[in-house]
Amino acid sequence: MPGEENDLFSKVIEFHGHSCPGVAIGIRAAEIASDKLISSRAVDEELLAIVENDSCSVDAIQVITGCTLGKGNLIFKDYGKNVYTFINRGTGKTLRLSLNKAIDEIDPEFANVRTKAFSGEAKLEDEMEFEKRKDAILEKILIMPEDELFKIEYVDIEIPGKAQIFRSVKCSKCGELVAEHRARVENSDFVCIPCFEDYSRN
């Protein structure tokens, strides 16, 4: 990946910690969304991302789009699906990307190679074969036609409101601070979710 693209790839890898097919999926999703929604990297909440998994891909999306949990413009839905929805708040356009190609479809032998490499009894050649295949899949993802990699569609959804800042209250049981909107009420006192769940189980 030459020039600016190589620099971007390096930033993603530096943030994530290693290169892998999941990172490549996130890079492609973020680049497609940025291009089709005509959006630069979000400084505030100009761009919103809704991700339906917590895989490696999400780290790439954070680096490239500027959508992060801390800013409130990255919303995580724990569905375990390779689906990424991006919203340009300025234009109201919403783009949904759903992965078409599973890793094992790109390389049907990869699952077996991965299992052997992480078996605890892998030989050097097993580990080298895993790395070789992993890198080959990554490269294929990075150059695959976008409409082959993803189902790409503009959708009409209710746009979530911007992130809000809530005051903190003290849990009446553990004494730790908790955002007011996440606190529960027990016997007219605020309690944090872990303390409330402990109480509910008893």
Side-chain angles (χ1 to χ4, degrees):
M1 296 175 65
E4 185 178 336
E5 288 187 351
N6 188 49
D7 184 51
L8 186 60
F9 183 80
S10 297
K11 286 179 180 177
V12 170
I13 299 309
E14 180 182 2
F15 178 77
H16 182 65
H18 64 262
S19 64
C20 62
V23 162
I25 291 168
I27 288 172
R28 291 300 305 281
E31 289 180 336
I32 292 167
S34 297
D35 178 55
K36 293 191 179 298
L37 295 179
I38 315 173
S39 175
S40 56
R41 191 175 192 277
V43 175
D44 191 15
E45 296 184 52
E46 306 89 352
L47 187 65
L48 172 68
I50 302 171
V51 299
E52 299 186 19
N53 67 75
D54 58 355
S55 71
C56 305
S57 61
V58 180
D59 280 353
I61 287 169
Q62 290 186 92
V63 172
I64 295 172
T65 67
C67 296
T68 67
L69 282 172
K71 283 210 297 275
N73 61 338
L74 176 68
I75 297 174
F76 167 57
K77 295 189 176 183
D78 194 8
Y79 297 160
K81 297 174 66 175
N82 281 292
V83 174
Y84 312 90
T85 302
F86 300 88
I87 302 165
N88 182 326
R89 288 194 184 276
T91 64
K93 281 191 174 181
T94 300
L95 188 73
R96 187 177 189 269
L97 307 176
S98 174
L99 190 69
N100 280 330
K101 292 277 188 180
I103 301 301
D104 295 338
E105 288 181 85
I106 298 173
D107 181 352
E109 290 301 313
F110 185 66
N112 292 332
V113 171
R114 179 176 52 212
T115 299
K116 187 181 289 187
F118 289 95
S119 66
E121 301 175 358
K123 298 175 182 177
L124 179 60
E125 54 263 36
D126 296 327
E127 295 175 356
M128 290 177 65
E129 179 67 11
F130 168 73
E131 291 296 328
K132 176 184 170 185
R133 285 181 178 268
K134 180 189 73 171
D135 289 344
I137 294 169
L138 183 150
E139 289 297 329
K140 285 180 182 177
I141 291 170
L142 291 176
I143 63 171
M144 191 178 295
E146 60 186 37
D147 56 353
E148 182 181 339
L149 182 61
F150 292 107
K151 178 183 178 183
I152 304 172
E153 54 188 339
Y154 290 96
V155 295
D156 184 18
I157 65 170
E158 184 176 346
I159 300 175
K162 289 191 175 183
Q164 298 181 51
I165 298 175
F166 295 89
R167 75 183 184 102
S168 294
V169 295
K170 191 166 283 190
C171 173
S172 62
K173 291 195 168 182
C174 67
E176 295 176 349
L177 293 172
V178 55
E180 185 177 28
H181 72 299
R182 290 286 188 260
R184 302 294 184 260
V185 177
E186 182 185 313
N187 298 325
S188 301
D189 291 322
F190 285 120
V191 293
C192 67
I193 291 173
C195 287
F196 183 77
E197 289 178 347
D198 282 346
Y199 171 80
S200 299
R201 281 194 291 266
N202 295 332

Short mmCIF file of all heavy atoms in Angstrom, two decimals, residues 131-177:
data_model
loop_
_atom_site.label_atom_id
_atom_site.label_comp_id
_atom_site.label_asym_id
_atom_site.label_seq_id
_atom_site.Cartn_x
_atom_site.Cartn_y
_atom_site.Cartn_z
N GLU A 131 0.68 -17.44 9.35
CA GLU A 131 1.00 -16.04 9.05
C GLU A 131 0.90 -15.75 7.56
O GLU A 131 0.38 -14.70 7.16
CB GLU A 131 2.41 -15.70 9.56
CG GLU A 131 2.55 -15.67 11.07
CD GLU A 131 1.71 -14.57 11.73
OE1 GLU A 131 1.52 -13.51 11.10
OE2 GLU A 131 1.23 -14.79 12.85
N LYS A 132 1.37 -16.68 6.77
CA LYS A 132 1.33 -16.52 5.31
C LYS A 132 -0.12 -16.43 4.81
O LYS A 132 -0.47 -15.54 4.02
CB LYS A 132 2.05 -17.70 4.65
CG LYS A 132 2.00 -17.71 3.13
CD LYS A 132 2.67 -18.97 2.60
CE LYS A 132 2.44 -19.12 1.10
NZ LYS A 132 2.99 -20.41 0.60
N ARG A 133 -0.95 -17.33 5.28
CA ARG A 133 -2.35 -17.33 4.84
C ARG A 133 -3.10 -16.11 5.38
O ARG A 133 -3.94 -15.53 4.69
CB ARG A 133 -3.04 -18.62 5.27
CG ARG A 133 -2.65 -19.82 4.43
CD ARG A 133 -3.37 -21.07 4.87
NE ARG A 133 -3.04 -22.20 4.04
CZ ARG A 133 -3.70 -22.58 2.95
NH1 ARG A 133 -4.76 -21.88 2.55
NH2 ARG A 133 -3.34 -23.62 2.25
N LYS A 134 -2.82 -15.74 6.62
CA LYS A 134 -3.46 -14.57 7.22
C LYS A 134 -3.14 -13.32 6.41
O LYS A 134 -4.04 -12.52 6.11
CB LYS A 134 -2.98 -14.39 8.66
CG LYS A 134 -3.59 -13.20 9.39
CD LYS A 134 -2.91 -12.94 10.72
CE LYS A 134 -1.53 -12.35 10.49
NZ LYS A 134 -0.89 -11.88 11.73
N ASP A 135 -1.87 -13.15 6.05
CA ASP A 135 -1.47 -11.97 5.27
C ASP A 135 -2.08 -11.98 3.88
O ASP A 135 -2.45 -10.94 3.33
CB ASP A 135 0.06 -11.90 5.17
CG ASP A 135 0.71 -11.54 6.50
OD1 ASP A 135 0.00 -11.06 7.41
OD2 ASP A 135 1.93 -11.75 6.64
N ALA A 136 -2.20 -13.19 3.30
CA ALA A 136 -2.80 -13.29 1.97
C ALA A 136 -4.27 -12.90 2.00
O ALA A 136 -4.77 -12.21 1.10
CB ALA A 136 -2.64 -14.71 1.43
N ILE A 137 -4.99 -13.33 3.04
CA ILE A 137 -6.40 -12.96 3.18
C ILE A 137 -6.54 -11.46 3.36
O ILE A 137 -7.40 -10.81 2.75
CB ILE A 137 -7.04 -13.70 4.37
CG1 ILE A 137 -7.10 -15.20 4.10
CG2 ILE A 137 -8.45 -13.16 4.66
CD1 ILE A 137 -7.45 -16.03 5.32
N LEU A 138 -5.68 -10.88 4.20
CA LEU A 138 -5.69 -9.43 4.44
C LEU A 138 -5.53 -8.68 3.12
O LEU A 138 -6.29 -7.74 2.84
CB LEU A 138 -4.59 -9.07 5.42
CG LEU A 138 -4.46 -7.62 5.87
CD1 LEU A 138 -3.90 -7.55 7.29
CD2 LEU A 138 -3.56 -6.82 4.94
N GLU A 139 -4.56 -9.10 2.32
CA GLU A 139 -4.31 -8.43 1.04
C GLU A 139 -5.51 -8.55 0.11
O GLU A 139 -5.87 -7.59 -0.58
CB GLU A 139 -3.06 -9.01 0.38
CG GLU A 139 -1.75 -8.64 1.06
CD GLU A 139 -1.49 -7.14 1.03
OE1 GLU A 139 -1.92 -6.46 0.07
OE2 GLU A 139 -0.86 -6.64 1.97
N LYS A 140 -6.14 -9.72 0.10
CA LYS A 140 -7.31 -9.91 -0.76
C LYS A 140 -8.44 -8.98 -0.35
O LYS A 140 -9.14 -8.41 -1.19
CB LYS A 140 -7.77 -11.37 -0.71
CG LYS A 140 -6.87 -12.33 -1.48
CD LYS A 140 -7.39 -13.76 -1.38
CE LYS A 140 -6.47 -14.72 -2.12
NZ LYS A 140 -6.92 -16.13 -1.99
N ILE A 141 -8.64 -8.85 0.96
CA ILE A 141 -9.70 -7.97 1.46
C ILE A 141 -9.44 -6.53 1.06
O ILE A 141 -10.35 -5.79 0.68
CB ILE A 141 -9.84 -8.12 2.99
CG1 ILE A 141 -10.40 -9.49 3.34
CG2 ILE A 141 -10.71 -7.01 3.57
CD1 ILE A 141 -10.35 -9.83 4.81
N LEU A 142 -8.19 -6.11 1.14
CA LEU A 142 -7.85 -4.72 0.85
C LEU A 142 -8.03 -4.35 -0.62
O LEU A 142 -8.23 -3.17 -0.93
CB LEU A 142 -6.41 -4.43 1.30
CG LEU A 142 -6.15 -4.41 2.82
CD1 LEU A 142 -4.68 -4.21 3.10
CD2 LEU A 142 -6.98 -3.32 3.50
N ILE A 143 -7.97 -5.33 -1.51
CA ILE A 143 -8.09 -5.01 -2.95
C ILE A 143 -9.38 -5.54 -3.56
O ILE A 143 -9.67 -5.26 -4.73
CB ILE A 143 -6.89 -5.56 -3.75
CG1 ILE A 143 -6.83 -7.10 -3.68
CG2 ILE A 143 -5.58 -4.95 -3.25
CD1 ILE A 143 -5.81 -7.72 -4.61
N MET A 144 -10.19 -6.26 -2.79
CA MET A 144 -11.43 -6.83 -3.32
C MET A 144 -12.41 -5.72 -3.72
O MET A 144 -12.52 -4.72 -3.01
CB MET A 144 -12.06 -7.72 -2.24
CG MET A 144 -13.21 -8.58 -2.73
SD MET A 144 -13.86 -9.65 -1.39
CE MET A 144 -12.45 -10.72 -1.10
N PRO A 145 -13.12 -5.86 -4.84
CA PRO A 145 -14.14 -4.87 -5.19
C PRO A 145 -15.11 -4.67 -4.04
O PRO A 145 -15.54 -5.65 -3.41
CB PRO A 145 -14.82 -5.49 -6.42
CG PRO A 145 -13.78 -6.38 -7.01
CD PRO A 145 -13.01 -6.93 -5.85
N GLU A 146 -15.45 -3.42 -3.75
CA GLU A 146 -16.24 -3.11 -2.56
C GLU A 146 -17.59 -3.81 -2.55
O GLU A 146 -18.07 -4.25 -1.50
CB GLU A 146 -16.41 -1.60 -2.40
CG GLU A 146 -17.09 -0.91 -3.54
CD GLU A 146 -17.11 0.61 -3.37
OE1 GLU A 146 -16.12 1.19 -2.86
OE2 GLU A 146 -18.13 1.21 -3.75
N ASP A 147 -18.22 -3.93 -3.73
CA ASP A 147 -19.55 -4.56 -3.75
C ASP A 147 -19.46 -6.08 -3.71
O ASP A 147 -20.48 -6.77 -3.57
CB ASP A 147 -20.36 -4.10 -4.97
CG ASP A 147 -19.65 -4.35 -6.28
OD1 ASP A 147 -18.47 -4.76 -6.26
OD2 ASP A 147 -20.28 -4.16 -7.33
N GLU A 148 -18.26 -6.62 -3.82
CA GLU A 148 -18.06 -8.05 -3.61
C GLU A 148 -17.82 -8.32 -2.12
O GLU A 148 -18.29 -9.32 -1.58
CB GLU A 148 -16.87 -8.54 -4.43
CG GLU A 148 -16.61 -10.04 -4.30
CD GLU A 148 -15.41 -10.51 -5.12
OE1 GLU A 148 -15.02 -9.80 -6.07
OE2 GLU A 148 -14.87 -11.57 -4.79
N LEU A 149 -17.12 -7.41 -1.48
CA LEU A 149 -16.81 -7.56 -0.06
C LEU A 149 -18.02 -7.27 0.82
O LEU A 149 -18.28 -7.98 1.79
CB LEU A 149 -15.66 -6.62 0.32
CG LEU A 149 -15.16 -6.69 1.77
CD1 LEU A 149 -14.62 -8.09 2.10
CD2 LEU A 149 -14.08 -5.63 2.00
N PHE A 150 -18.77 -6.22 0.47
CA PHE A 150 -19.91 -5.79 1.29
C PHE A 150 -21.19 -5.68 0.46
O PHE A 150 -21.15 -5.37 -0.73
CB PHE A 150 -19.67 -4.40 1.88
CG PHE A 150 -18.59 -4.33 2.92
CD1 PHE A 150 -17.37 -3.73 2.61
CD2 PHE A 150 -18.79 -4.82 4.21
CE1 PHE A 150 -16.37 -3.62 3.57
CE2 PHE A 150 -17.79 -4.72 5.16
CZ PHE A 150 -16.57 -4.12 4.85
N LYS A 151 -22.31 -5.90 1.12
CA LYS A 151 -23.59 -5.43 0.60
C LYS A 151 -23.68 -3.99 1.07
O LYS A 151 -23.62 -3.69 2.26
CB LYS A 151 -24.74 -6.24 1.18
CG LYS A 151 -26.12 -5.76 0.72
CD LYS A 151 -27.24 -6.56 1.38
CE LYS A 151 -28.60 -6.04 0.95
NZ LYS A 151 -29.70 -6.77 1.63
N ILE A 152 -23.80 -3.07 0.13
CA ILE A 152 -23.76 -1.63 0.44
C ILE A 152 -25.11 -1.03 0.11
O ILE A 152 -25.60 -1.14 -1.02
CB ILE A 152 -22.66 -0.94 -0.39
CG1 ILE A 152 -21.30 -1.61 -0.13
CG2 ILE A 152 -22.60 0.55 -0.07
CD1 ILE A 152 -20.19 -1.13 -1.04
N GLU A 153 -25.73 -0.39 1.09
CA GLU A 153 -27.04 0.20 0.84
C GLU A 153 -27.24 1.46 1.68
O GLU A 153 -26.77 1.55 2.81
CB GLU A 153 -28.15 -0.82 1.14
CG GLU A 153 -28.07 -1.43 2.52
CD GLU A 153 -29.06 -2.56 2.73
OE1 GLU A 153 -30.07 -2.63 2.00
OE2 GLU A 153 -28.83 -3.36 3.64
N TYR A 154 -27.91 2.42 1.07
CA TYR A 154 -28.36 3.60 1.80
C TYR A 154 -29.66 3.24 2.49
O TYR A 154 -30.55 2.65 1.87
CB TYR A 154 -28.54 4.79 0.87
CG TYR A 154 -27.24 5.34 0.33
CD1 TYR A 154 -26.77 4.94 -0.92
CD2 TYR A 154 -26.47 6.23 1.07
CE1 TYR A 154 -25.58 5.42 -1.42
CE2 TYR A 154 -25.27 6.72 0.58
CZ TYR A 154 -24.83 6.31 -0.66
OH TYR A 154 -23.64 6.78 -1.15
N VAL A 155 -29.76 3.54 3.77
CA VAL A 155 -30.94 3.15 4.53
C VAL A 155 -31.53 4.36 5.24
O VAL A 155 -30.88 5.40 5.39
CB VAL A 155 -30.59 2.06 5.58
CG1 VAL A 155 -30.17 0.78 4.89
CG2 VAL A 155 -29.51 2.54 6.54
N ASP A 156 -32.76 4.20 5.65
CA ASP A 156 -33.46 5.27 6.36
C ASP A 156 -33.71 4.79 7.78
O ASP A 156 -34.51 3.88 7.99
CB ASP A 156 -34.78 5.58 5.65
CG ASP A 156 -35.52 6.76 6.28
OD1 ASP A 156 -34.87 7.53 7.02
OD2 ASP A 156 -36.73 6.90 6.03
N ILE A 157 -32.99 5.35 8.75
CA ILE A 157 -33.18 4.96 10.14
C ILE A 157 -33.33 6.23 10.99
O ILE A 157 -33.00 7.33 10.54
CB ILE A 157 -32.00 4.13 10.69
CG1 ILE A 157 -30.71 4.96 10.73
CG2 ILE A 157 -31.79 2.86 9.87
CD1 ILE A 157 -29.57 4.30 11.47
N GLU A 158 -33.82 6.04 12.18
CA GLU A 158 -33.89 7.17 13.10
C GLU A 158 -32.48 7.47 13.59
O GLU A 158 -31.82 6.59 14.16
CB GLU A 158 -34.79 6.84 14.28
CG GLU A 158 -34.99 8.01 15.23
CD GLU A 158 -35.98 7.70 16.34
OE1 GLU A 158 -36.72 6.70 16.23
OE2 GLU A 158 -36.01 8.47 17.32
N ILE A 159 -32.02 8.68 13.36
CA ILE A 159 -30.65 9.03 13.72
C ILE A 159 -30.56 9.25 15.23
O ILE A 159 -31.29 10.07 15.79
CB ILE A 159 -30.18 10.30 12.97
CG1 ILE A 159 -30.23 10.03 11.46
CG2 ILE A 159 -28.78 10.69 13.40
CD1 ILE A 159 -29.90 11.24 10.61
N PRO A 160 -29.68 8.51 15.90
CA PRO A 160 -29.54 8.69 17.35
C PRO A 160 -29.12 10.12 17.70
O PRO A 160 -28.41 10.79 16.93
CB PRO A 160 -28.42 7.70 17.72
CG PRO A 160 -28.43 6.69 16.61
CD PRO A 160 -28.80 7.46 15.38
N GLY A 161 -29.56 10.59 18.84
CA GLY A 161 -29.18 11.92 19.29
C GLY A 161 -27.70 11.99 19.63
O GLY A 161 -27.03 10.96 19.77
N LYS A 162 -27.19 13.20 19.75
CA LYS A 162 -25.79 13.37 20.11
C LYS A 162 -25.55 12.94 21.55
O LYS A 162 -26.48 12.87 22.37
CB LYS A 162 -25.36 14.82 19.91
CG LYS A 162 -25.27 15.23 18.45
CD LYS A 162 -24.59 16.58 18.31
CE LYS A 162 -24.37 16.92 16.84
NZ LYS A 162 -23.64 18.20 16.68
N ALA A 163 -24.30 12.65 21.84
CA ALA A 163 -23.93 12.20 23.18
C ALA A 163 -24.26 13.27 24.22
O ALA A 163 -24.11 14.46 23.95
CB ALA A 163 -22.44 11.87 23.23
N GLN A 164 -24.70 12.81 25.38
CA GLN A 164 -25.01 13.74 26.47
C GLN A 164 -24.04 13.52 27.62
O GLN A 164 -23.50 12.43 27.79
CB GLN A 164 -26.44 13.50 26.97
CG GLN A 164 -27.51 13.75 25.92
CD GLN A 164 -28.90 13.51 26.49
OE1 GLN A 164 -29.27 14.04 27.51
NE2 GLN A 164 -29.68 12.70 25.79
N ILE A 165 -23.85 14.55 28.39
CA ILE A 165 -23.01 14.44 29.58
C ILE A 165 -23.94 14.39 30.79
O ILE A 165 -24.78 15.28 30.98
CB ILE A 165 -22.03 15.62 29.70
CG1 ILE A 165 -21.08 15.63 28.49
CG2 ILE A 165 -21.24 15.54 30.99
CD1 ILE A 165 -20.16 16.81 28.43
N PHE A 166 -23.80 13.34 31.58
CA PHE A 166 -24.65 13.16 32.76
C PHE A 166 -23.84 13.36 34.03
O PHE A 166 -22.64 13.08 34.07
CB PHE A 166 -25.24 11.75 32.76
CG PHE A 166 -26.18 11.48 31.61
CD1 PHE A 166 -25.69 10.99 30.40
CD2 PHE A 166 -27.54 11.72 31.73
CE1 PHE A 166 -26.55 10.73 29.34
CE2 PHE A 166 -28.40 11.47 30.67
CZ PHE A 166 -27.90 10.99 29.48
N ARG A 167 -24.50 13.83 35.06
CA ARG A 167 -23.81 14.00 36.34
C ARG A 167 -23.57 12.64 36.97
O ARG A 167 -24.23 11.65 36.64
CB ARG A 167 -24.61 14.90 37.28
CG ARG A 167 -25.84 14.27 37.91
CD ARG A 167 -26.60 15.27 38.77
NE ARG A 167 -27.72 14.65 39.47
CZ ARG A 167 -27.69 14.30 40.75
NH1 ARG A 167 -26.61 14.54 41.47
NH2 ARG A 167 -28.75 13.73 41.32
N SER A 168 -22.60 12.60 37.87
CA SER A 168 -22.28 11.36 38.58
C SER A 168 -22.94 11.37 39.95
O SER A 168 -23.05 12.41 40.59
CB SER A 168 -20.76 11.21 38.74
OG SER A 168 -20.15 11.04 37.49
N VAL A 169 -23.40 10.20 40.36
CA VAL A 169 -23.95 10.02 41.70
C VAL A 169 -23.17 8.91 42.38
O VAL A 169 -22.52 8.10 41.72
CB VAL A 169 -25.46 9.68 41.65
CG1 VAL A 169 -26.25 10.84 41.07
CG2 VAL A 169 -25.71 8.40 40.85
N LYS A 170 -23.23 8.88 43.69
CA LYS A 170 -22.48 7.88 44.44
C LYS A 170 -23.37 6.68 44.73
O LYS A 170 -24.50 6.82 45.19
CB LYS A 170 -21.94 8.48 45.73
CG LYS A 170 -20.93 7.60 46.45
CD LYS A 170 -20.16 8.37 47.53
CE LYS A 170 -19.10 9.26 46.89
NZ LYS A 170 -18.19 9.83 47.91
N CYS A 171 -22.85 5.50 44.45
CA CYS A 171 -23.58 4.27 44.77
C CYS A 171 -23.69 4.14 46.28
O CYS A 171 -22.70 4.27 47.01
CB CYS A 171 -22.86 3.05 44.19
SG CYS A 171 -23.57 1.47 44.68
N SER A 172 -24.89 3.90 46.76
CA SER A 172 -25.12 3.82 48.21
C SER A 172 -24.53 2.56 48.82
O SER A 172 -24.42 2.45 50.04
CB SER A 172 -26.62 3.88 48.52
OG SER A 172 -27.28 2.76 47.93
N LYS A 173 -24.09 1.63 47.99
CA LYS A 173 -23.53 0.38 48.52
C LYS A 173 -21.99 0.35 48.47
O LYS A 173 -21.35 0.18 49.50
CB LYS A 173 -24.10 -0.82 47.77
CG LYS A 173 -25.57 -1.05 48.06
CD LYS A 173 -26.01 -2.41 47.59
CE LYS A 173 -27.40 -2.71 48.17
NZ LYS A 173 -27.87 -4.04 47.79
N CYS A 174 -21.43 0.54 47.27
CA CYS A 174 -19.96 0.45 47.16
C CYS A 174 -19.29 1.81 47.30
O CYS A 174 -18.07 1.89 47.48
CB CYS A 174 -19.55 -0.21 45.86
SG CYS A 174 -19.93 0.76 44.38
N GLY A 175 -20.05 2.89 47.17
CA GLY A 175 -19.50 4.23 47.33
C GLY A 175 -18.82 4.76 46.09
O GLY A 175 -18.28 5.87 46.11
N GLU A 176 -18.85 4.00 44.99
CA GLU A 176 -18.18 4.45 43.77
C GLU A 176 -19.14 5.32 42.94
O GLU A 176 -20.36 5.17 43.01
CB GLU A 176 -17.70 3.25 42.96
CG GLU A 176 -16.62 2.48 43.69
CD GLU A 176 -16.17 1.22 42.96
OE1 GLU A 176 -16.84 0.81 41.99
OE2 GLU A 176 -15.15 0.65 43.38
N LEU A 177 -18.54 6.23 42.15
CA LEU A 177 -19.34 7.12 41.32
C LEU A 177 -19.86 6.39 40.09
O LEU A 177 -19.15 5.58 39.48
CB LEU A 177 -18.51 8.33 40.90
CG LEU A 177 -18.11 9.29 42.03
CD1 LEU A 177 -17.13 10.33 41.52
CD2 LEU A 177 -19.35 9.96 42.62
#
